[in-house]
Amino acid sequence: MREFKRLTPYREALKMLLNDLKELNEIEEVLLSEALGRVLAEDIVSPIDSPPFNRSAVDGYALRAEDTFPAREYSPVELRVIDEIVAGEESKAKVEPGTAVKLMTGSKMPEGANAVLMQEMAERDGDIIRVLRPVAPGQNVAFAGEDVRKGEIILRRGQILRPQDLALLKSVGFKTVRVKRKPHVGIIVTGDELIEEFDEDALKAGKIMESNSIMLTGLVRQYFGQPVFYGVVPDKEEAIKSAIETARGECDLVLVTGGSAFGDRDFAHRFVELLFHGTTIKPGRPVGYGERVFIMSGYPVAVFAQFHLYVKHALAKLVGARNYEVRVRARLTERVSSQLGRHEFVKVWYENGEARPIKKKGSGIISSLVESNGYIEIPEDSEGHLEGETVEIVLY
Amino acid sequence: MREFKRLTPYREALKMLLNDLKELNEIEEVLLSEALGRVLAEDIVSPIDSPPFNRSAVDGYALRAEDTFPAREYSPVELRVIDEIVAGEESKAKVEPGTAVKLMTGSKMPEGANAVLMQEMAERDGDIIRVLRPVAPGQNVAFAGEDVRKGEIILRRGQILRPQDLALLKSVGFKTVRVKRKPHVGIIVTGDELIEEFDEDALKAGKIMESNSIMLTGLVRQYFGQPVFYGVVPDKEEAIKSAIETARGECDLVLVTGGSAFGDRDFAHRFVELLFHGTTIKPGRPVGYGERVFIMSGYPVAVFAQFHLYVKHALAKLVGARNYEVRVRARLTERVSSQLGRHEFVKVWYENGEARPIKKKGSGIISSLVESNGYIEIPEDSEGHLEGETVEIVLY
C-alpha cells in the first residue's frame, strides 16, 4: 500500500513552484497589429505630450471667454470671424478682443483664444457670429499633455495588451511594442486506455476518448502560452521517459497528464525530481511538480483544477503578467460544504451577482466544467460557506 | 446652425439596429483545434452515453459492497482477487461473493461488482486483499451516462467555445464543429488631420496620430469579427463615398470614424440611409447607423463607447452569440453624477468588489480607457449613483 506520505498544503506548494520558476528574459518586438493579448515586457514612457498643444475638442469658434460673459439670448455678443481653418491646419491669426477663429475638432488653439464655442451654438451672419450665452474659460479645449505627458509612464510591464492600450501606444507614436516571448508548453498525454479516433466499439470495450490535449491546448493559449502537443504516449516507462526528456529540452514548461498517482503504471513521477507530489487540492490531489514539469491527473476535471490552481500562475510568472484573473464577488445561492484539510476547487455558474454551485461531482464529468463559468476556492481550514454568504469567484 | 433635431434614446436606437441586422447563415466546419473562441452555430447532441459503461473512478478493486459491510480495522474482510486488468482492457470475470477484480481508473466495471475500493486502502497479500472499512454501494464508480446521455443537448448554439467545451466535444467523438462564419467588419477612418507615421513636427503643427484603427481592429477581434482596414480616407466627399461603397460590398458591417457630427466636412452620413443619427449616449452622441454602416466619432473615447454600446451587440447578433459580456456587481467608491436625458457610459476600475470611477474626462483622453477595465451605464432617467451604492459593471 503506497500513498502520499504527506499532502503539501496548497499555498505552500504554489510558493515552491513560483520560487522555482524564473521569468523569461526573451523579448519580442512586434507590430502593434500583432500585439493584442501579448504581455508587455517593459514600462512604456511617452515620448511626447499628448495632445502636443492646446486644441479644440469640437468644431466651432475659438474665442476669448471674457468677451462672451455679457452674452444673453436677448442681447447676444457679436464677434468677427478673422480666420477659418480645416482639420490638420493651423491658424496664424491672433484672437484679439471682439474676434474669433473658426476651427475644427482637434485644431490647435490660436494665440489669444482660451475657449471654443460649439459651431451649433453660434448664429452666423457673414463674418459675424452671435453668441447667445457665456462660454467658460477652457470650455471645449483639450489642453496639452492632458492625455499623457512626455516622460510619463503610460503602461506598465506585465500589462496584457488590450485594444485601448494599443491605441494609446499608437497615439504617442509607437509602431511596435516589446512583449514577452510566449512560453512554450509541452503537453504529453499518457494512458493506454485513450483513443484519438472515435470508435464506439472500442469505447464500449473500455477505451476512452482522449480530451485532455484539446483542453490544455486551449487553456495554455488563454494564458499567454504556445502549446506543443507531443501526442498520446503509451503507459511504458521508456516511452514516457523519452517524451518528457524531449519536451523538457524544447519547452519552458511540460504538462504530463495521467499517471500522477501511485498506480502500477504511473511512471511519470519517476523521471522528474519533484519539489512536491500530492497537495491538499480537491480535485487534483496527486499533482506533482519539479524541474519545469507538471505531473497531472488523467481525469479532465482534475486536470482543469490543477491548471487553474497551479499551471496558470506558473505561466503568469514566466511572462510577468499582472491582472490575469477576473475575481468577482457573489452571493451563494446554496450552501457549499468542504472537507477540512482540503483546498477545494468548487465550480460555479456566476450570473447577476449570484453564484450557483455545480452539483455534478466526479472528476471525469466534463459537463460540470461546461455548465460552469468560474470557481470558488475553499481553503484547508474552512468547512465551506452557507447559502447567502458572499464569496469570491474566479471567472474562466 | 444645424444640430440633431432629436436624440434617439439609447435603447430605442439599439432596438432599431438589432431589428435591422440579420443573423449570418453561413456556417464553417472547423477542427476542434481551430475552434477556440468561435461561436457555435447549432445545438450539439451527444451521439453516445459518456461514460459508455459503468467504470471505475480510481485504481483499485471492484467488489460487492455488501461483502465489505462487516469490515473493521480489527477484523478485516478478506477477498480473493480473481482477475487483474490494465487500462483500456476489460475483465470477463464475474465478481461472486468473496471475490474482487483489480482494475484501473477508467476500467469497465466487471459483472457482479457495484463498488471500487481504492488500491491504497487495501492490504494485499498474494491473491488476497484485506478490507479494513466498509465500502458503500456505488463508491468510486462512474456510472454510464453520468457525464452526458446519448441524445442529450450538451452545448447550445451561440456558445462561445472554451477549452472545456472543446474537451466535451472531443470526449463524445467529435473531431470538428460547426461554427458561425466570422463577420467581416470594414474599418474606415476619416480625417485630414490624421497621420499614420510618427512626425513630431507635424503633430506640433496640428496633426494627430491616428489610433482608432488599431483600437477598432482589436475590439472587432475580441467580439467574433474579422477586421478589414480600408485605411485613412481624406475628408473628400467622393473619397469617402467610394470607400463606404467598397467596404459595404465586401463586408457584413462597416465602421466609419470621424465625420459623424454636422461639421462642414462631415460627409459620411450623406451616403447612408440612416435609421438613427444622434442618440442619447454620452460620450458618443453623434453615432449613426443605417444599411449595415456605423457612422462613428473621431475621438477614441467616443468611438470606444459607441463600440461597446452598439457595435458589440450588433456583432453578437450577427453570430447569435450568448453570454458575450461579463457583468459584475460592485460597490461604488465615490459618487457618479449623470446628466438627465443622457445614457452615460462611465469608465471604472473594478477590483475586489469595488468600482472606482475614472475621473479623467474628455473624449480624446485615451489614457482614461487604459486606466479602466469596465463601465457602468447610467440611463436617461437617472442622475447617477451615490458613493457606496451597488452598481452593475460590464468588464472589458
Side-chain angles (χ1 to χ4, degrees), chain B residues 58-335:
Chain B
V58 295
D59 290 359
Y61 297 90
L63 43 70
R64 298 168 71 254
E66 308 83 278
D67 288 355
T68 69
F69 291 170
R72 301 291 180 272
E73 288 204 36
Y74 54 83
S75 95
V77 165
E78 296 196 346
L79 301 174
R80 192 165 49 86
V81 179
I82 56 169
D83 195 10
E84 304 205 11
I85 57 167
V86 298
E89 288 184 354
E90 180 182 346
S91 174
K92 301 291 180 203
K94 182 169 181 211
V95 175
E96 307 276 4
T99 68
V101 166
K102 187 170 182 222
L103 37 57
M104 310 285 288
T105 306
S107 297
K108 188 170 181 173
M109 290 291 287
E111 205 189 326
N114 63 2
V116 181
L117 175 70
M118 284 178 75
Q119 174 168 303
E120 299 90 323
M121 309 299 271
E123 286 184 6
R124 177 88 184 247
D125 186 3
D127 66 348
I128 297 297
I129 52 165
R130 268 183 286 274
V131 184
L132 306 182
R133 274 178 292 270
V135 179
Q139 196 167 327
N140 296 320
V141 178
F143 290 96
E146 190 176 71
D147 195 351
V148 298
R149 295 196 174 279
K150 183 171 177 171
E152 181 189 347
I153 293 177
I154 55 172
L155 287 169
R156 296 202 176 265
R157 69 194 299 276
Q159 173 79 16
I160 302 163
L161 293 167
R162 303 167 299 167
Q164 62 267 44
D165 303 328
L166 301 175
L168 184 61
L169 288 168
K170 180 104 183 277
S171 75
V172 297
F174 289 95
K175 296 181 78 163
T176 60
V177 62
R178 286 156 63 85
V179 297
K180 287 285 182 178
R181 169 170 74 72
K182 288 188 183 184
H184 293 147
V185 181
I187 297 168
I188 297 171
V189 171
T190 74
D192 286 344
E193 73 283 16
L194 300 175
I195 55 176
E196 287 280 346
E197 296 289 325
F198 183 68
D199 175 343
E200 198 161 356
D201 291 339
L203 292 178
K204 284 187 174 152
K207 299 287 185 189
I208 294 173
M209 289 301 301
E210 188 279 301
S211 62
N212 280 332
S213 63
I214 188 84
M215 188 172 75
L216 284 174
T217 297
L219 287 167
V220 166
R221 287 207 178 104
Q222 281 185 333
Y223 292 95
F224 338 110
Q226 181 70 51
V228 183
F229 183 39
Y230 288 88
V232 178
V233 176
D235 285 332
K236 294 205 169 42
E237 191 152 351
E238 266 314 306
I240 292 174
K241 184 177 179 191
S242 135
I244 290 177
E245 276 169 10
T246 305
R248 190 160 44 187
E250 295 171 351
C251 297
D252 302 292
L253 216 54
V254 179
L255 313 179
V256 184
T257 74
S260 58
F262 285 113
D264 298 341
R265 297 187 163 239
D266 293 334
F267 298 120
H269 62 269
R270 301 182 196 171
F271 314 121
V272 182
E273 189 79 47
L274 294 176
L275 281 177
F276 59 82
H277 188 195
T279 82
T280 52
I281 67 169
K282 182 182 174 187
R285 180 180 48 120
V287 65
Y289 169 84
E291 302 180 301
R292 297 183 291 109
V293 178
F294 281 94
I295 308 292
M296 301 171 82
S297 296
Y299 274 123
V301 178
V303 170
F304 191 84
Q306 290 163 344
F307 185 93
H308 275 283
L309 293 175
Y310 290 114
V311 182
K312 176 175 72 177
H313 302 298
L315 284 166
K317 168 85 189 259
L318 288 178
V319 294
R322 293 184 293 108
N323 296 323
Y324 56 93
E325 286 187 312
V326 181
R327 291 183 174 261
V328 305
R329 291 183 189 189
R331 199 189 141 274
L332 267 182
T333 61
E334 47 193 296
R335 70 185 288 274

Side-chain angles (χ1 to χ4, degrees), chain A residues 122-138:
Chain A
E123 286 183 6
R124 179 85 183 249
D125 186 2
D127 65 351
I128 297 296
I129 53 167
R130 268 183 286 277
V131 184
L132 306 182
R133 275 177 290 270
V135 179

Side-chain angles (χ1 to χ4, degrees), chain A residues 45-46 89 92-94 108 122 160 164 213 232 252-253 256 261 294 301 303 328 357 365 372-373 379 389:
Chain A
V45 169
S46 178
E89 286 184 355
K92 301 291 181 204
K94 183 171 179 207
K108 189 170 181 171
I160 302 163
Q164 62 267 44
S213 63
V232 178
D252 301 292
L253 216 54
V256 184
F294 281 94
V301 179
V303 170
V328 305
I365 308 302
S372 66
N373 61 3
E389 262 190 72

Side-chain angles (χ1 to χ4, degrees), chain A residues 1-3 32-33 36 47-48 52-53 55-59 86-90 102 104-106 108 118-122 146-148 150 154-155 162-168 170-173 175 192-193 196-198 200 203-211 213-215 218-219 221-222 235 262-266 285 299 304 323 326-329 349-350 352-353 360 364-373 392 395-396, chain B residues 1-3 32-33 36 47-48 52-53 55-59 86-90 102 104-106 108 118-122 146-148 150 154-155 162-168 170-173 175 192-193 196-198 200 203-211 213-215 218-219 221-222 235 262-266 285 299 304 323 326-329 349-350 352-353 360 364-373 392 395-396:
Chain A
M1 171 167 147
R2 282 189 70 195
E3 237 300 9
L32 294 185
S33 55
L36 189 66
I48 58 168
F53 45 79
R55 68 184 186 197
S56 175
V58 296
D59 289 359
V86 297
E89 286 184 355
E90 179 180 350
K102 185 167 181 223
M104 309 286 287
T105 306
K108 189 170 181 171
M118 284 180 73
Q119 173 169 303
E120 298 90 324
M121 309 300 271
E146 190 176 71
D147 195 352
V148 297
K150 183 173 177 170
I154 56 173
L155 287 170
R162 303 166 301 168
Q164 62 267 44
D165 302 327
L166 301 175
L168 183 61
K170 180 104 184 276
S171 75
V172 298
K175 296 183 76 163
D192 285 345
E193 74 281 17
E196 288 280 344
E197 297 289 326
F198 184 68
E200 199 163 354
L203 293 178
K204 285 190 172 148
K207 299 288 183 188
I208 295 173
M209 288 302 299
E210 188 279 301
S211 63
S213 63
I214 188 83
M215 187 171 76
L219 287 167
R221 287 208 178 102
Q222 281 185 333
D235 286 333
F262 285 113
D264 298 340
R265 295 184 165 241
D266 294 334
R285 179 178 51 119
Y299 272 122
F304 191 83
N323 297 324
V326 181
R327 292 182 174 261
V328 305
R329 291 184 189 189
W349 178 261
Y350 170 80
N352 295 328
K360 281 188 176 180
I365 308 302
I366 308 178
S367 58
S368 68
L369 296 176
V370 167
E371 290 163 17
S372 66
N373 61 3
E392 188 175 61
L395 297 179
Y396 49 69
Chain B
M1 169 166 146
R2 283 189 69 195
E3 237 300 9
L32 294 185
S33 55
L36 189 66
I48 57 168
F53 46 78
R55 68 184 185 197
S56 176
V58 295
D59 290 359
V86 298
E89 288 184 354
E90 180 182 346
K102 187 170 182 222
M104 310 285 288
T105 306
K108 188 170 181 173
M118 284 178 75
Q119 174 168 303
E120 299 90 323
M121 309 299 271
E146 190 176 71
D147 195 351
V148 298
K150 183 171 177 171
I154 55 172
L155 287 169
R162 303 167 299 167
Q164 62 267 44
D165 303 328
L166 301 175
L168 184 61
K170 180 104 183 277
S171 75
V172 297
K175 296 181 78 163
D192 286 344
E193 73 283 16
E196 287 280 346
E197 296 289 325
F198 183 68
E200 198 161 356
L203 292 178
K204 284 187 174 152
K207 299 287 185 189
I208 294 173
M209 289 301 301
E210 188 279 301
S211 62
S213 63
I214 188 84
M215 188 172 75
L219 287 167
R221 287 207 178 104
Q222 281 185 333
D235 285 332
F262 285 113
D264 298 341
R265 297 187 163 239
D266 293 334
R285 180 180 48 120
Y299 274 123
F304 191 84
N323 296 323
V326 181
R327 291 183 174 261
V328 305
R329 291 183 189 189
W349 179 259
Y350 170 80
N352 294 329
K360 281 187 177 179
I365 307 303
I366 308 177
S367 58
S368 69
L369 297 176
V370 168
E371 291 163 17
S372 65
N373 60 3
E392 189 177 60
L395 296 179
Y396 49 68

Side-chain angles (χ1 to χ4, degrees), chain A residues 19 84 93 108 144 147 163 166 200 207 266 270 279 286 299 303 305 319 332 348 354 373 378 394:
Chain A
N19 280 340
E84 305 206 13
K108 189 170 181 171
D147 195 352
L166 301 175
E200 199 163 354
K207 299 288 183 188
D266 294 334
R270 302 182 194 171
T279 82
Y299 272 122
V303 170
V319 293
L332 267 181
V348 300
E354 292 193 331
N373 61 3
I378 305 178
V394 185

